[in-house]
Amino acid sequence: MPPREGTYGLLAEFETPSDLVRAAQKARLDGWRRLDCYTPYPVEEAAEAIGFHKNKVPLVTLVGGLMGLVAMFSLETWISTLAYPLNIAGRPLYSWPAFIIPAYEWTILWAGLSAAFGMLALNGLPSPYHPLFNAPNFRAGALDDKFFLCLEALDPKFELIETRVYLETLAPVSVVEVEY
């Protein structure tokens, strides 16, 4: 993908998690939809404040598990009835009770793999670069003791000057423009 040019968004730095949560709640109530919080440790209130509640990993896991179940039952049915039929002691070729344990194993395997790879894909990982790495004090601050709120330029409400003024009313330590 070719690199983008221009403004990614505005990044506001806060001293405490409660300041960040209050600012995120206010921004969400004021109509901002493309915003994100960055903290050195998990802050559950921040996730709730920005409206983060969509989690598609369980659905991806369920679909992966069902695909594993169907794939193994299909494979065993095909092998037992068409590819290599064996008449052992007059038993039927399609003996589904014998297929349960391998199908169960494949269900677990496919569910686990789809959960792992689905989580990575839905999170956009691996991502060795993010535009926020260009912001001063973000790398050290986000890992140690600072809390950040980013209003992204893709939001329909984003206008550079008005957004900067809006963020400064939320009482941050600093507001920085982030370039791609």
Side-chain angles (χ1 to χ4, degrees):
M1 176 160 66
R4 294 183 181 175
E5 292 184 18
T7 302
Y8 175 76
L10 287 175
L11 186 69
E13 177 184 334
F14 296 91
E15 288 289 334
T16 65
S18 58
D19 292 342
L20 172 69
V21 169
R22 277 193 295 276
Q25 287 171 340
K26 182 162 179 15
R28 184 82 175 160
L29 289 174
D30 290 343
W32 291 91
R33 294 297 174 252
R34 300 289 305 216
L35 67 155
D36 207 350
C37 295
Y38 301 92
T39 62
Y41 51 84
V43 178
E44 295 294 328
E45 296 84 9
E48 294 169 10
I50 63 172
F52 181 78
H53 61 277
K54 298 176 186 174
N55 187 359
K56 296 179 183 175
V57 175
L59 178 62
V60 170
T61 305
L62 174 66
V63 169
L66 291 176
M67 286 175 48
L69 178 72
V70 169
M72 189 49 135
F73 259 104
S74 300
L75 178 67
E76 290 182 321
T77 301
W78 175 73
I79 289 172
S80 296
T81 59
L82 300 173
Y84 196 63
L86 293 175
N87 184 358
I88 299 172
R91 293 188 183 102
L93 295 178
Y94 180 73
S95 180
W96 67 268
F99 303 166
I100 291 176
I101 296 197
Y104 173 73
E105 294 296 330
W106 268 42
T107 301
I108 293 171
L109 174 70
W110 283 44
L113 290 175
S114 64
F117 290 116
M119 180 269 306
L120 291 173
L122 291 171
N123 287 335
L125 296 173
S127 179
Y129 172 76
H130 194 280
L132 290 180
F133 294 159
N134 296 333
N137 200 26
F138 179 76
R139 282 190 188 204
L143 294 176
D144 293 336
D145 60 349
K146 302 293 184 210
F147 303 89
F148 296 93
L149 173 66
C150 181
L151 298 180
E152 298 177 8
L154 295 175
D155 196 295
K157 288 185 70 166
F158 189 88
E159 292 294 329
L160 189 60
I161 305 300
E162 290 85 6
T163 304
R164 181 180 292 277
V165 170
Y166 175 76
L167 279 176
E168 288 171 351
T169 63
L170 300 176
V173 174
S174 66
V175 176
V176 177
E177 180 179 354
V178 179
E179 300 283 331
Y180 274 105

